[in-house]
Amino acid sequence: MRTEQPKVIHLKDYQAPDYLIDETHLTFELFEDHTLVHAQLVMRRNPQLGMDLPPLVLDGQQLELLSLSLDDHLLTPAEYQLDDSQLTLQPPHSEFVIDSSVRIHPESNTALEGLYKSGSMFCTQCEAEGFRKITYYLDRPDVMSKFTTTVMAEQQRYPILLSNGNPLASGADDQGRHWATWEDPFMKPAYLFALVAGDLWCVEDSFTTMHQREVALRIYVEPENIDKVQHAMDSLKKSMKWDEEVYGREYDLDIFMIVAVNDFNMGAMENKGLNIFNSSCVLAHAETATDAAHQRVEAVVAHEYFHNWSGNRVTCRDWFQLSLKEGFTVFRDSQFSADMNSATVKRIEDVAYLRTHQFAEDAGPMAHPVRPDSFIEISNFYTLTIYEKGSEVLRMIHTLLGAEAFRQGSDLYFERHDGQAVTCDDFVKAMEDASGSDLTQFKRWYSQAGTPRLSVSDSHDAQAGTYTLTFKQSCPATPGQSEKLPFVIPVELGLLDSKGQPLALRLQGEAQATGDNRVLSVTEAEQSFTFVDVAEKPLPSLLRGFSAPVKLSFPYSRDQLMFLMQHDSDGFNRWEAGQQLAVQVLQELVGQQQRGVAMAMDERLVKALCSVLNNEQLDPAMVAEMLSLPSEAYLTEISEEADVEAIHAAREFARKRLADDLFEPLWQRYQDARVQSRKQAYVAEASHFARRALQNMALSYLMLTEKPKVLTACLEQYEACDNMTERLTALAVLVNSPFEAEKAATLANFAERFKDNPLVMDQWFSVQAASTLPGGLERVQALMQHPAFTLKNPNKVRALIGAFAGQNLINFHRADGSGYRFLADLVIQLNALNPQIASRQLSPLTRWSKYAPERRQMMRNELERILASGELSSDVYEVVSKSLV
Ligand code: B3K
Ligand code: ZN
């Protein structure tokens, strides 16, 4: 915990390291009440910086220094300076060896950073700056070293001892302790270091690489979870193959390991050869994990595996370049998921998520560019902007260059920078060099924050047969950036004639048409494009596949949107047209509600969704996506000033109306799907996901009608199904229903059935925390007393507190401010336990500017209260102080 004012770190102050660490030899002696860490660092002056010998400043926090030697000479305290974050000493020569021994306390580490215990297991999390809590080191990503690690522990409690790289040797003493030595032949920064010790079982498999090398694959879990690992293993093998085929990337060690731990601050970590995962991102079994959980496991396994090249072999020079590895790797995992499942559905999910959450971040007090200029606490910058917007930036490069040139660019990048710590500029340069294109202006996506707005107008000249689209772009001010220069915005589009047929596209000045779909590159604040040979006024289909992360507006009428829903050849834009129609209709209802007039819904939405529901040709997953109305969070994001109650009332009114009017087709599709589900055993595969998605979407509407036969069907589904997707949906719709007796009985049944499975209990907490029925806060407070709940486990905090404050808007924003008070109290408590989790949970309060003055004031008051609450971690301090500006 910090006492002095925290320091702001700036990208412009970057300096190469004074010293390098060629070799790092670590020995860990693990005990129940402390751990000893002995480190030998083989160091030298960075030859690029000269031959003088500046003082050596090593990072170190919460370490008890036991001994320190330089070139075998034991140093006295007079020969070095020590404070709570640094150890400074004077090297005698340009090459030297430092030996240190420190004592640390993983057994009481609740921040889950550095070395800590999760249950009975030891594990590490070093990214970004956790290694300095393990030993004195140059804890920065541009210092890469060759690591050898020996782990010593009691044999009985910790039969498995793991670290990065390949196993080198192992042995035991006669006191019941044993040891294992691991050697990682690849140079790596300290943030990729990992250690695990525990009583673990593993599932083993192997993969033959493109050059016929055998790689052993092992997934380690606690014994009770050994039956839930196969899906992760299958996902790993698919990822390894895909990365060879699509990016030409081959795995490089003899062994690849994944370890599942229950207490983890995020999803997973790509430590070299030894990925450590939140168990929620590894374990998946039909009976205990939903389809969404299966897909998340597949995606996270792929993401961490892909980091082996995009992150580990080529890493970041400094933490301002975080998106270099994260944006690229998210882009790679999204391509992978698109290839494994439905590409259109994947894109819809990603875009809905980006627009709801990243756009909100970009419009809030923590807005920052994909490559930030400064930060106080790097842990706060593992954001939607770095990850999701970073991925969109890569996707735009892919769109502008084309798949082939993009691949050449990525090959050049990996070849040119293998073994180096580099910058986003280096990545773009490789893309430019390989493709011969100039991305100078494009790079503004890295440096300018905020979501650009792109407003489009059109005109048709019947006489000349020309059609002109005019684009105007602007970008709102963000913290520290008032003026923005125009972005390069790739706009993929097509034009539809009055029969819905695509037009051949020929721009003025071109010799001939080039297909009916193309990408325009909008580079100026205002820019027009004129198409020729256009006899009648067409309807444009703009920003197909969401080709750029912008807020596009075009004055579509509702009839035009219905037309696009039916005829657009781009699946994503058919969904998008439906969403825009729904937004228009819902905003009209919000207005009626605010004016106090009776809500009356535009029939056209019912009609449009009816024809979607009756379309047997359409992928059922697409039908489910199209039936799902824009979320309250999204409606909030696109409002100037969000009216919490009116948005909730309008959306619920529309859902009820759709349920009543579409009862028959919904019932039909529900029953058809349920019959199939009953017949076929669970398979984690796209067509099955699709069927269940539609079935469950239908059920959630049907339950709104409160008809006895739906209740019966829901209870039947709950009881008779063979998988968590159907069971959890049945539970969730009951929880949101007025059937109190059935709700209570089913909740109790579920808790009893799954009381020994913490991940399933997380779902049980979430479903209740997200219920929008009145009394949400009291329900959450009561659940916090449940024996399965603890603030020390991040998954539990996310399941209960995160779901309440992030998804249950009507309850969290209760007019008396009690939801805000509750969250602030928790953040104050969590700040002392786990700063990273505290700072993440805080984010709903940072969105105060979206709300009416009274709510704003209450939210700000709570932020003030947190600020005044005592010693704050730098994590919480940064978010709170920036939010109050
Ligand atoms: N690189 C890690 C994130 C580490 C977060 C540290 N606070 C997981 C990932 O993106 O793959
Ligand atoms: Zn990542």
Side-chain angles (χ1 to χ4, degrees):
M1 237 29 78
R2 166 203 70 77
T3 38
E4 78 284 10
Q5 196 71 4
K7 268 213 321 274
V8 182
I9 301 163
H10 294 272
L11 168 59
K12 63 175 168 33
D13 296 337
Y14 172 82
Q15 284 185 329
D18 286 336
Y19 293 94
L20 307 178
I21 309 178
D22 292 325
E23 293 172 35
T24 302
H25 303 275
L26 301 170
T27 301
F28 289 80
E29 296 184 67
L30 306 176
F31 298 100
E32 292 316 295
D33 56 355
H34 72 284
T35 288
L36 300 177
V37 185
H38 312 285
Q40 179 171 80
L41 312 180
V42 180
M43 302 193 62
R44 68 188 151 101
R45 171 77 168 127
N46 183 349
Q48 288 172 345
L49 298 185
M51 287 318 286
D52 60 326
L53 297 174
L56 169 67
V57 184
L58 297 171
D59 305 297
Q61 283 173 12
Q62 299 162 32
L63 307 174
E64 183 191 345
L65 183 59
L66 302 176
S67 74
L68 181 67
S69 343
L70 188 51
D71 290 333
D72 284 335
H73 163 71
L74 191 64
L75 299 184
T76 65
E79 292 173 285
Y80 55 86
Q81 290 97 52
L82 196 57
D83 66 23
D84 61 7
S85 63
Q86 287 175 336
L87 169 64
T88 307
L89 52 87
Q90 183 56 53
H93 326 282
S94 62
E95 294 185 5
F96 55 96
V97 176
I98 292 189
D99 277 283
S100 70
S101 292
V102 300
R103 190 193 331 262
I104 56 175
H105 290 280
E107 71 283 357
S108 55
N109 177 352
T110 58
L112 315 186
E113 194 192 31
L115 179 66
Y116 65 95
K117 283 196 91 172
S118 174
S120 58
M121 170 189 343
F122 283 92
C123 62
T124 51
Q125 172 52 38
C126 294
E127 188 177 359
E129 299 182 335
F131 195 75
R132 63 189 61 188
K133 295 181 172 174
I134 292 177
T135 192
Y136 288 103
Y137 205 76
L138 296 176
D139 188 9
R140 43 187 291 170
D142 56 354
V143 171
M144 299 172 84
S145 181
K146 212 183 124 187
F147 280 69
T148 312
T149 305
T150 298
V151 189
M152 302 171 151
E154 199 184 309
Q155 180 145 24
Q156 185 113 42
R157 284 184 205 239
Y158 310 101
I160 301 291
L161 306 174
L162 309 173
S163 189
N164 316 86
N166 299 313
L168 204 63
S170 60
D173 64 16
D174 47 16
Q175 329 274 269
R177 293 180 66 80
H178 71 147
W179 59 272
T181 300
W182 292 77
E183 183 185 60
D184 184 353
F186 291 93
M187 302 285 277
K188 67 167 178 287
Y191 84 84
L192 291 172
F193 170 79
L195 173 158
V196 168
D199 184 2
L200 302 167
W201 286 10
C202 85
V203 165
E204 187 152 13
D205 207 326
S206 72
F207 179 80
T208 310
T209 72
M210 61 208 276
H211 293 106
Q212 309 306 314
R213 282 191 319 98
E214 281 297 307
V215 179
L217 310 177
R218 287 196 196 143
I219 302 185
Y220 288 92
V221 295
E222 286 170 315
E224 67 269 24
N225 292 324
I226 198 73
D227 62 332
K228 305 183 190 73
V229 176
Q230 194 54 46
H231 181 66
M233 185 62 90
D234 293 341
S235 304
L236 175 59
K237 289 194 282 183
K238 285 186 204 168
S239 309
M240 295 178 85
K241 189 157 187 305
W242 186 92
D243 212 16
E244 291 188 347
E245 289 172 359
V246 180
Y247 279 87
R249 299 295 109 203
E250 187 179 17
Y251 187 64
D252 47 15
L253 289 163
D254 302 336
I255 180 167
F256 184 84
M257 297 174 283
I258 289 177
V259 180
V261 305
N262 290 328
D263 303 283
F264 206 65
N265 281 348
M266 63 278 163
M269 178 64 212
E270 70 266 23
N271 317 300
K272 182 79 188 188
L274 178 57
N275 287 189
I276 298 183
F277 273 57
N278 187 322
S279 53
S280 70
C281 297
V282 183
L283 306 178
H285 188 278
E287 283 157 31
T288 50
T290 60
D291 291 345
H294 277 81
Q295 285 170 277
R296 178 154 166 77
V297 167
E298 182 180 80
V300 178
V301 166
H303 179 97
E304 306 310 329
Y305 174 73
F306 297 157
H307 267 315
N308 190 54
W309 275 95
S310 49
N312 301 2
R313 290 287 288 253
V314 183
T315 193
C316 303
R317 187 192 73 173
D318 54 73
W319 292 120
F320 299 100
Q321 320 295 330
L322 182 56
S323 197
L324 171 79
K325 73 178 178 81
E326 295 305 347
F328 190 19
T329 306
V330 173
F331 177 62
R332 278 150 53 68
D333 84 56
S334 72
Q335 290 180 298
F336 168 77
S337 295
D339 284 354
M340 295 298 123
N341 302 289
S342 156
T344 307
V345 171
K346 169 69 178 155
R347 188 65 188 143
I348 288 170
E349 288 168 355
D350 286 353
V351 171
Y353 187 69
L354 181 90
R355 283 205 294 220
T356 306
H357 302 291
Q358 195 278 326
F359 281 16
E361 180 171 280
D362 238 350
M366 284 293 288
H368 54 277
V370 167
R371 184 187 50 223
D373 297 311
S374 68
F375 57 73
I376 291 176
E377 172 53 62
I378 183 56
S379 297
N380 284 328
F381 284 78
Y382 287 76
T383 58
L384 297 159
T385 300
I386 301 294
Y387 278 69
E388 304 346 289
K389 187 175 182 179
S391 166
E392 293 298 320
V393 169
L394 270 277
R395 193 171 189 279
M396 288 189 284
I397 297 180
H398 188 273
T399 301
L400 289 167
L401 267 50
E404 203 178 319
F406 185 90
R407 168 67 196 272
Q408 285 161 0
S410 89
D411 284 353
L412 179 61
Y413 168 72
F414 288 126
E415 186 195 335
R416 190 183 270 178
H417 298 296
D418 191 7
Q420 297 177 3
V422 303
T423 63
C424 297
D425 284 337
D426 292 321
F427 179 88
V428 175
K429 183 78 170 62
M431 284 288 156
E432 290 184 318
D433 290 352
S435 65
S437 38
D438 179 354
L439 294 171
T440 311
Q441 185 187 346
F442 181 85
K443 286 206 287 186
R444 288 174 190 160
W445 283 106
Y446 285 95
S447 57
Q448 298 187 144
T451 307
R453 293 166 203 277
L454 187 62
S455 69
V456 190
S457 57
D458 68 343
S459 67
H460 181 245
D461 182 338
Q463 204 97 67
T466 59
Y467 176 70
T468 301
L469 283 171
T470 300
F471 296 85
K472 287 189 189 156
Q473 60 163 306
S474 63
C475 184
T478 47
Q481 293 186 335
S482 44
E483 298 296 319
K484 312 284 167 97
L485 295 168
F487 290 88
V488 175
I489 302 178
V491 180
E492 185 175 337
L493 55 70
L495 302 177
L496 278 66
D497 72 13
S498 57
K499 297 195 182 59
Q501 291 303 306
L503 293 185
L505 302 178
R506 182 177 153 212
L507 283 174
Q508 216 155 43
E510 290 178 347
Q512 61 198 37
T514 50
D516 53 26
N517 182 70
R518 65 188 287 167
V519 178
L520 300 179
S521 192
V522 176
T523 57
E524 288 159 36
E526 180 169 347
Q527 197 170 358
S528 294
F529 296 84
T530 297
F531 294 91
V532 298
D533 306 331
V534 187
E536 53 168 5
K537 185 168 185 180
L539 187 61
S541 164
L542 299 163
L543 208 70
R544 282 179 163 171
F546 202 64
S547 56
V550 300
K551 290 189 178 180
L552 179 127
S553 60
F554 180 84
Y556 288 117
S557 70
R558 292 184 197 176
D559 290 329
Q560 287 175 326
L561 290 169
M562 287 177 72
F563 186 84
L564 286 173
M565 275 177 86
Q566 284 215 301
H567 298 290
D568 201 326
S569 59
D570 184 75
F572 175 86
N573 267 16
R574 280 203 304 277
W575 170 80
E576 173 64 2
Q579 290 292 296
Q580 286 191 37
L581 176 64
V583 164
Q584 287 194 18
V585 170
L586 289 166
Q587 286 179 332
E588 188 171 65
L589 292 173
V590 168
Q592 292 164 352
Q593 175 76 2
Q594 287 172 325
R595 292 194 307 279
V597 301
M599 287 190 277
M601 191 169 92
D602 189 333
E603 286 298 322
R604 282 174 288 190
L605 184 61
V606 181
K607 208 174 137 214
L609 294 187
C610 186
S611 68
V612 168
L613 206 46
N614 288 327
N615 184 347
E616 304 268 345
Q617 307 314 312
L618 207 56
D619 174 2
M622 277 296 287
V623 177
E625 291 292 354
M626 296 187 82
L627 283 178
S628 112
L629 294 180
S631 65
E632 290 178 25
Y634 180 64
L635 295 168
T636 300
E637 207 292 309
I638 59 176
S639 308
E640 270 309 310
E641 184 180 284
D643 182 335
V644 180
E645 286 84 5
I647 287 175
H648 181 69
R651 191 169 180 280
E652 286 307 299
F653 178 84
R655 285 189 353 112
K656 177 74 167 67
R657 207 22 233 294
L658 291 166
D660 289 336
D661 289 8
L662 299 176
F663 186 83
E664 281 313 320
L666 284 165
W667 182 242
Q668 195 54 51
R669 295 216 74 161
Y670 172 74
Q671 283 189 311
D672 291 349
R674 178 72 191 117
V675 166
Q676 292 300 315
S677 297
R678 241 186 255 124
K679 268 201 282 207
Q680 300 175 8
Y682 182 92
V683 185
E685 181 264 314
S687 69
H688 286 234
F689 295 155
R691 184 187 69 230
R692 286 187 289 270
L694 176 53
Q695 177 189 326
N696 286 332
M697 177 57 65
L699 181 61
S700 70
Y701 275 110
L702 291 165
M703 273 297 266
L704 298 175
T705 66
E706 297 173 22
K707 290 192 203 285
K709 72 171 176 181
V710 179
L711 176 61
T712 306
C714 179
L715 293 170
E716 187 276 339
Q717 170 167 328
Y718 176 84
E719 270 311 323
C721 65
D722 69 347
N723 64 84
M724 184 50 72
T725 307
E726 289 180 279
R727 184 158 285 136
L728 190 68
T729 302
L731 179 71
V733 298
L734 271 171
V735 163
N736 282 287
S737 80
F739 302 113
E740 296 303 333
E742 290 81 358
K743 179 191 308 192
T746 311
L747 277 170
N749 174 287
F750 192 97
E752 179 54 27
R753 212 187 267 239
F754 297 108
K755 60 175 185 296
D756 297 328
N757 187 321
L759 294 176
V760 181
M761 287 307 285
D762 291 346
Q763 304 294 317
W764 184 82
F765 282 117
S766 271
V767 153
Q768 297 176 77
S771 164
T772 56
L773 296 178
L777 178 59
E778 289 72 16
R779 278 195 303 276
V780 170
Q781 283 168 325
L783 285 167
M784 284 182 68
Q785 306 307 316
H786 191 278
F789 184 81
T790 162
L791 277 182
K792 289 197 176 155
N793 176 258
N795 287 354
K796 289 283 175 287
V797 174
R798 284 183 282 255
L800 193 52
I801 321 302
F804 172 68
Q807 293 166 38
N808 194 346
L809 302 185
I810 189 73
N811 275 302
F812 173 64
H813 292 278
R814 205 157 88 178
D816 63 3
S818 52
Y820 308 147
R821 213 151 42 239
F822 166 76
L823 188 62
D825 284 337
L826 266 166
V827 167
I828 293 168
Q829 256 184 293
L830 282 167
N831 174 65
L833 277 177
N834 186 329
Q836 288 181 21
I837 297 297
S839 151
R840 296 230 155 208
Q841 292 306 313
L842 182 55
S843 86
L845 283 176
T846 68
R847 308 273 192 258
W848 56 267
S849 65
K850 267 286 168 205
Y851 298 94
E854 258 181 34
R855 281 202 169 92
R856 278 186 183 203
Q857 197 50 53
M858 290 190 290
M859 294 171 89
R860 288 185 60 102
N861 289 348
E862 294 305 325
L863 289 166
E864 300 274 12
R865 193 160 68 81
I866 297 172
L867 196 60
S869 70
E871 260 184 40
L872 288 185
S873 58
S874 51
D875 309 63
V876 172
Y877 173 81
E878 176 169 36
V879 176
V880 174
S881 59
K882 288 184 176 171
S883 302
L884 282 170
V885 172

